[in-house]
Amino acid sequence: MIVGLAGGVGGAKLLQGLALALPDVALTAIVNTADDFELYGLHISPDLDTVLYTLAGLANPTTGWGIAGDTRVTLDAIARLGRDPWFILGDQDLATHILRSERLKAGTPLSAIMAEFASALGVSTTILPMTDDTVATMVDTPAGRLEFQEYFVHRHQEDDVLGVEFVGGADSSPAPGVLDAIAAAELLVLCPSNPIVSIGPILAVPGIREAIERASAPVVAVSPIVGGKALKGSAGKMMRELGKEVSARAVAGEYLRLIDGFVLDQVDAHLLQSVSSLGVRALATPAVMRTVDDRVALARTVLDFARTVRTGRALEVE
Amino acid sequence: MIVGLAGGVGGAKLLQGLALALPDVALTAIVNTADDFELYGLHISPDLDTVLYTLAGLANPTTGWGIAGDTRVTLDAIARLGRDPWFILGDQDLATHILRSERLKAGTPLSAIMAEFASALGVSTTILPMTDDTVATMVDTPAGRLEFQEYFVHRHQEDDVLGVEFVGGADSSPAPGVLDAIAAAELLVLCPSNPIVSIGPILAVPGIREAIERASAPVVAVSPIVGGKALKGSAGKMMRELGKEVSARAVAGEYLRLIDGFVLDQVDAHLLQSVSSLGVRALATPAVMRTVDDRVALARTVLDFARTVRTGRALEVE
């Protein structure tokens, strides 16, 4: 079994590559839910849905999130009723939010709901939320403490980030199946997602980091930072404002003592030695996934690379 | 001020006629909410929405309910996720249900929510739910007790109706503004809606029937039964199965001691004498509203007729 930790678009793309590269191998995605929020009374899970839609082959190829060809009729009608349509909710997409909200209200855990959705959409990858509990990424800014989507979407990441906290993280438990999947994994992949607010919350769920440290499988991370910039999303600006270097090397640094191997883009090949000096095997390869073929190619490279990686962590534990 | 009691399509059409015929006169609609139900976790108010959309000029002219030109993208996606799309929810329409559900969950009364929606859609008519409390029309059938929409839409009215109960009715209170509007009215209209399950629940809210009986304004009802059949909806079959005659006369009988005047369609002119013998002034006129012009014409006829009607009830009280 292969286990991938992922946030949104970049992570979902590599997960799809892994699923397509190894159709006969069980794949489990452990997905960030700390960006989840409530809008118009509906529970929105942006990262889970991006992973779901991508693996179902439904994702919008231009944005990476949302559903291809989706319309915005309901959102326009919400605006007509006087509300600010600041977060894009497509009409097909809304079905997911409506049914998830209904099931959550009835007491069904998020993990069970996602299993139902994946089954209905013919997705064979197991999509697990990191937790069934409520964890919320809060972003501290000069304008005060903001919910993540308020910072990221509504205010267009324009506020300086002074700090990040995963409220509820310390009191949360891994969703059913998460720790078992990590223990049973033959390969653990930290997908190219924001190390602070996508992979960070997953690792902050008590038990998950420890399970990865204990796992016998090699752990390989793929950098979401290419050429000193985030390919997508908030990683670049946020890392800089938090006083971190915006580089693939800095991402490897975030995962120190957790990973055995690190994959960075070929444009960052000059950083290989610097990453290796952290005690991590490093590989430079084309890591920008524009097409589905790119995703499969990167997945194959990661799989090949993982075979060459000794589990240094495991050796330390032995 | 004119006050109309209404259920769904037929009632909404006459309300629109009244609003257009007397644009400078305050109009208040008191609308049935006993058909309200929850679907996919959303609170649906079919009659309130039909009145809202009709008065906003948005209603689907073919069906009378829903919004003209609305699409069903979300409902198709709900079906793709494995759920039965038995109740048609258009995409524009969904905005209403989503925002209403959100506001109800936050504790806002339904009456305040409808006032917000009416304002946002430029509707000057005051649209009042009969109550802010929960009242549910339950239909007793050989297959057991059914929620109204389950009977009416999901099971296509195929079950015999053994009885009808408005659960919660006896414990409900009129929504704010309802009793004041009735007391202040210069004319009260029982719109052409199902006397049993549309007007019936309104009259079952403690205080409303009494307020109408006490009102100084004439009360005129318009028959929803034309030529022995309901123009729309469940009235005909339901009246028959409850052992009632399916006729305009039987509708007048349902409203006995409540109305001063009764308007029936010209095809039922032969019933005029029979209705008059109930002690009610009766008028035969073209009462089928196919076009907006028909609605205005019928509204004008009702207004003219009302001026000729002595308030027999009021005389009794005096």
Side-chain angles (χ1 to χ4, degrees):
Chain A
M1 187 205 291
I2 296 178
V3 172
L5 275 60
V9 175
K13 287 179 175 177
L14 184 55
L15 287 169
Q16 187 189 25
L18 290 164
L20 293 172
L22 294 176
D24 300 328
V25 173
L27 176 63
T28 296
I30 300 172
V31 182
N32 172 42
T33 59
D35 301 355
D36 287 21
F37 70 118
E38 199 161 286
L39 183 62
Y40 314 129
L42 301 174
H43 182 102
I44 320 279
S45 297
D47 286 355
L48 278 171
D49 290 349
T50 295
V51 169
L52 175 70
Y53 298 154
T54 302
L55 291 172
L58 294 174
N60 181 326
T62 308
T63 58
W65 47 263
I67 292 180
D70 209 353
T71 46
R72 294 183 198 166
V73 174
T74 300
L75 197 65
D76 288 346
I78 282 174
R80 182 170 65 190
L81 288 173
R83 300 291 293 277
D84 179 5
W86 61 271
F87 191 92
I88 292 171
L89 297 173
D91 295 316
Q92 293 182 52
D93 189 28
L94 263 169
T96 313
H97 310 316
I98 290 169
L99 295 185
R100 176 169 41 225
S101 304
E102 178 199 26
R103 306 280 284 129
L104 285 173
K105 202 167 89 175
T108 310
L110 184 56
S111 53
I113 298 167
M114 292 312 297
E116 292 170 7
F117 289 170
S119 167
L121 297 181
V123 172
S124 57
T125 299
T126 302
I127 301 175
L128 297 176
M130 63 189 203
T131 180
D132 281 331
D133 301 321
T134 300
V135 180
T137 296
M138 301 300 289
V139 182
D140 290 316
T141 74
R145 173 161 275 208
L146 303 174
E147 281 196 333
F148 181 75
Q149 299 298 345
E150 178 69 17
Y151 156 78
F152 185 57
V153 178
H154 203 176
R155 297 169 67 98
H156 315 289
Q157 312 175 56
E158 281 170 4
D159 305 273
D160 285 349
V161 177
L162 306 174
V164 166
E165 188 185 337
F166 310 127
V167 175
D171 300 321
S172 66
S173 303
V178 165
L179 297 184
D180 288 347
I182 293 170
E186 293 159 89
L187 169 62
L188 285 154
V189 181
L190 307 193
C191 292
S193 298
N194 187 321
I196 300 168
V197 293
S198 294
I199 305 297
I202 304 176
L203 299 175
V205 176
I208 293 187
R209 173 182 279 274
E210 298 71 14
I212 296 173
E213 287 171 352
R214 258 198 322 271
S216 57
V219 182
V220 173
V222 179
S223 178
I225 301 282
V226 170
K229 286 191 300 201
L231 283 172
K232 186 124 199 147
S234 57
K237 181 169 177 290
M238 184 176 278
M239 289 178 78
R240 182 164 50 247
E241 289 167 1
L242 289 173
K244 300 173 192 286
E245 181 184 283
V246 185
S247 72
R249 177 176 51 201
V251 174
E254 291 291 314
Y255 296 144
L256 219 55
R257 283 182 292 278
L258 200 64
I259 59 173
D260 307 296
F262 190 76
V263 175
L264 44 73
D265 188 74
Q266 54 193 358
V267 305
D268 291 320
H270 59 283
L271 297 173
L272 279 174
Q273 205 167 7
S274 165
V275 172
S276 297
S277 72
L278 298 172
V280 171
R281 286 282 310 258
L283 176 78
T285 189
V288 181
M289 296 173 282
R290 288 191 185 83
T291 65
V292 173
D293 285 348
D294 290 344
R295 300 172 196 182
V296 176
L298 180 58
R300 292 213 167 103
T301 302
V302 168
L303 292 165
D304 291 342
F305 176 55
R307 285 193 200 97
T308 72
V309 170
R310 290 286 304 158
T311 59
R313 298 162 307 98
L315 286 174
E316 279 172 30
V317 171
E318 277 166 12
Chain B
M1 187 206 291
I2 296 177
V3 172
L5 274 60
V9 175
K13 287 179 175 176
L14 184 56
L15 287 169
Q16 187 189 26
L18 290 164
L20 293 171
L22 293 176
D24 299 327
V25 173
L27 177 64
T28 296
I30 300 172
V31 182
N32 172 42
T33 60
D35 299 356
D36 287 21
F37 70 117
E38 199 162 285
L39 183 62
Y40 313 130
L42 301 175
H43 182 102
I44 320 281
S45 297
D47 286 353
L48 278 170
D49 290 350
T50 295
V51 169
L52 175 69
Y53 299 154
T54 302
L55 291 172
L58 295 173
N60 181 326
T62 308
T63 58
W65 47 263
I67 292 180
D70 209 354
T71 47
R72 294 183 197 167
V73 174
T74 300
L75 197 64
D76 288 346
I78 282 174
R80 181 169 65 191
L81 288 172
R83 300 291 292 277
D84 179 5
W86 62 271
F87 191 91
I88 292 171
L89 297 172
D91 296 316
Q92 294 182 52
D93 189 30
L94 263 168
T96 313
H97 310 315
I98 290 170
L99 296 184
R100 176 171 39 228
S101 304
E102 177 199 27
R103 306 279 285 127
L104 284 172
K105 202 167 87 174
T108 310
L110 185 56
S111 53
I113 297 167
M114 293 311 297
E116 292 170 7
F117 289 170
S119 167
L121 297 182
V123 172
S124 58
T125 299
T126 301
I127 301 174
L128 297 176
M130 64 189 203
T131 180
D132 282 332
D133 301 322
T134 299
V135 179
T137 295
M138 303 299 289
V139 182
D140 289 316
T141 75
R145 174 161 273 208
L146 304 173
E147 281 196 334
F148 181 76
Q149 299 298 344
E150 179 70 16
Y151 157 78
F152 185 58
V153 177
H154 204 177
R155 297 169 68 98
H156 314 289
Q157 313 175 56
E158 281 170 6
D159 305 273
D160 285 349
V161 177
L162 307 175
V164 166
E165 188 184 337
F166 311 128
V167 175
D171 300 322
S172 66
S173 304
V178 165
L179 297 185
D180 288 347
I182 293 171
E186 293 159 88
L187 169 62
L188 285 154
V189 181
L190 307 192
C191 292
S193 298
N194 186 321
I196 300 168
V197 293
S198 295
I199 305 297
I202 305 176
L203 298 176
V205 177
I208 293 187
R209 173 182 279 274
E210 297 72 12
I212 297 173
E213 288 171 352
R214 260 198 319 271
S216 55
V219 182
V220 173
V222 179
S223 178
I225 302 282
V226 171
K229 287 191 299 201
L231 284 171
K232 185 123 199 148
S234 56
K237 181 169 176 293
M238 185 177 279
M239 289 177 77
R240 183 164 48 247
E241 290 166 1
L242 290 174
K244 299 173 193 287
E245 181 185 284
V246 186
S247 72
R249 177 177 49 203
V251 174
E254 291 290 315
Y255 296 144
L256 218 55
R257 283 183 290 280
L258 200 64
I259 58 173
D260 307 295
F262 190 77
V263 175
L264 44 73
D265 188 75
Q266 54 193 358
V267 305
D268 291 321
H270 59 283
L271 297 173
L272 278 175
Q273 203 166 7
S274 165
V275 172
S276 298
S277 72
L278 299 172
V280 171
R281 286 280 311 255
L283 176 77
T285 189
V288 181
M289 296 173 282
R290 291 194 182 81
T291 65
V292 173
D293 284 348
D294 291 344
R295 301 172 197 183
V296 175
L298 180 58
R300 292 213 167 103
T301 302
V302 168
L303 291 166
D304 290 342
F305 175 55
R307 284 192 201 96
T308 72
V309 171
R310 290 286 306 160
T311 59
R313 300 162 303 99
L315 286 175
E316 280 172 31
V317 172
E318 277 166 10

